[in-house]
Structures are given as C-alpha cells and as structure tokens.
Amino acid sequence: MSICSSELQSQLFSKIAAWEILSYKYVGELWRCTAPPEMRVEVYTHCAYVCVPKTDKHRGFSTFISFWEFLDYFMCRSISKASKVQAFLMRRGRYAEVWRVTSSQGATGKNYRVELSNLGGLCDCWLFRCFGNRIRRELPYCFKLLQQSRFFDGQAMCHHLVAAIHRGHASSIAEFKAESQRRKKEDRERRMREQNEARTQRFC
C-alpha cells in the first residue's frame, strides 16, 4: 500500500511512468505497449515497488524503481510537453517575469499564469499545486532529491514553468534564479555606492 496520496502518485508515480521506465530498462523483454491492468505501483519511503502478476499472457515479475528514475521521467516528459505549448511574456521586471502559457490541450484548453523570480517559479495549474503542496510532507526523502536536482532546484515543477523558462532564454529555474539574484545584488551594491557618495558630498 502506497504511503503517499493518490493525487501525488498520479502525478509522479503513475503506472504509465513506471511502465515506460521499465520498458526503457528492459528493452525487448516487455512485450506490451501499455501497462497491463494487473500492474501495481506502491510508493514507499525511499523507492517504489512495481509488481506485474503472472497471467496466461505474460510472465510475472516485480522490481523496485528509485525516486530518481521517476523524477528523471517527469523531467523528460515536462521538457517534451513544454515544447508543444505557447508561452507569452505579459510583464517583465528587473527581477521577475509573468507569463501566460497555453494548455497542452491546445485551443480547447485554458491558459495558465506563470511567475518567475529570484525566489523561484509559480504556476496556477493543478499539477503544480498538487506537487508543491504534497511532496514535502508526504515524501520528505523525495523532496530532498528535488533539492539536489538542478532541474527542480528544490521546488515543484510543471511543463508550463519549463516553457516560460525556456522562452525566457534560461536553461533551468536554477539559472533564472541565479541571474535574477545577480541583478538584485548589483542593484543593491549600486544603491549603496550612491548613498555613500551622497553622504560624502554632504560633509565636503
């Protein structure tokens, strides 16, 4: 039985994700294009357990899949989906940007608001909110892995965020944050120099 909620499991540890990871790892051994309905994915503290029961159509097997493999799958899927949506810059400040990003459903979908700043990124889509609200408290070990990843940089991600980051000519959220923090530091140092010069002039 999985220790995380069904909502978080559907986002990060779905049967589709597990089957594609296994299909890549065991090329030629898995004979179906989609996960069999009997397949189980159970999320534990440090990894996920995958079990495909034996039937008259295929042999059974079970294995463990690391959180890193699921996060890598999520990253690749996010980058792929980001290339298929449109992102429009609505407002750009010195340290922050606001984007409107279309849904992956195209004209029939809705638009999402993405905010990027020196503190990170935010999106108002359900995937981002579910991921961000649940990962820290439900799977603290997986959250630690997010902090070690340059793609996630310690926060939830979604393909809308990835699309805005890439259209804004940064390769990752970490790169965008670093550039924004650099500009903020330069502005703070410039203001301090100007204040010091003004004080010096008053006493001259």
Side-chain angles (χ1 to χ4, degrees):
M1 182 103 180
S2 295
I3 64 171
C4 70
S5 63
S6 58
E7 290 83 1
L8 183 59
Q9 180 161 346
S10 69
Q11 295 299 332
L12 279 181
F13 310 104
S14 67
K15 288 185 179 181
I16 294 174
W19 189 253
E20 291 198 18
I21 291 169
L22 292 174
S23 297
Y24 179 78
K25 290 175 69 174
Y26 303 104
V27 178
E29 293 187 38
L30 303 181
W31 49 93
R32 301 174 68 136
C33 296
T34 57
E38 306 89 359
M39 178 178 174
R40 294 196 331 269
V41 179
E42 299 176 1
V43 182
Y44 297 127
T45 306
H46 293 88
C47 64
Y49 171 73
V50 180
C51 177
V52 180
K54 182 178 180 180
T55 70
D56 56 354
K57 293 184 179 179
H58 53 75
R59 67 179 179 85
F61 71 94
S62 61
T63 187
F64 290 94
I65 300 179
S66 71
F67 285 165
W68 271 126
E69 292 175 281
F70 279 103
L71 292 176
D72 185 63
Y73 174 83
F74 184 92
M75 177 190 71
C76 294
R77 186 183 63 171
S78 296
I79 292 172
S80 175
K81 292 178 72 174
S83 67
K84 298 177 176 65
V85 301
Q86 299 294 317
F88 306 95
L89 181 63
M90 306 300 291
R91 186 171 70 251
R92 171 174 283 159
R94 181 67 172 161
Y95 320 119
E97 297 176 354
V98 177
W99 292 77
R100 178 168 58 85
V101 183
T102 62
S103 166
S104 55
Q105 278 76 40
T108 60
K110 62 174 289 188
N111 293 324
Y112 297 97
R113 177 186 173 90
V114 171
E115 298 181 28
L116 300 173
S117 73
N118 61 306
L119 299 177
L122 295 171
C123 180
D124 60 4
C125 75
W126 184 85
L127 186 156
F128 180 88
R129 293 198 304 269
C130 173
F131 194 166
N133 291 337
R134 295 177 180 274
I135 189 72
R136 186 194 298 259
R137 68 173 184 266
E138 294 185 15
L139 294 173
Y141 174 72
C142 193
F143 179 72
K144 287 182 180 179
L145 297 183
L146 297 185
Q147 296 174 307
Q148 299 171 28
S149 165
R150 183 169 176 79
F151 175 79
F152 292 97
D153 198 40
Q155 70 157 69
M157 291 294 291
C158 66
H159 59 283
H160 307 113
L161 260 174
V162 175
I165 292 166
H166 289 177
R167 303 306 193 280
H169 308 295
S171 63
S172 66
I173 188 67
E175 181 181 322
F176 184 93
K177 286 167 61 177
E179 179 61 23
S180 296
Q181 289 166 355
R182 183 190 65 78
R183 290 196 297 264
K184 192 170 186 178
K185 181 180 179 182
E186 288 179 351
D187 285 352
R188 184 169 59 249
E189 292 173 346
R190 177 181 52 78
R191 287 195 300 270
M192 290 178 63
R193 286 196 302 270
E194 292 173 350
Q195 291 171 358
N196 290 335
E197 290 172 0
R199 280 196 294 267
T200 301
Q201 290 174 0
R202 282 202 302 271
F203 289 104
C204 288

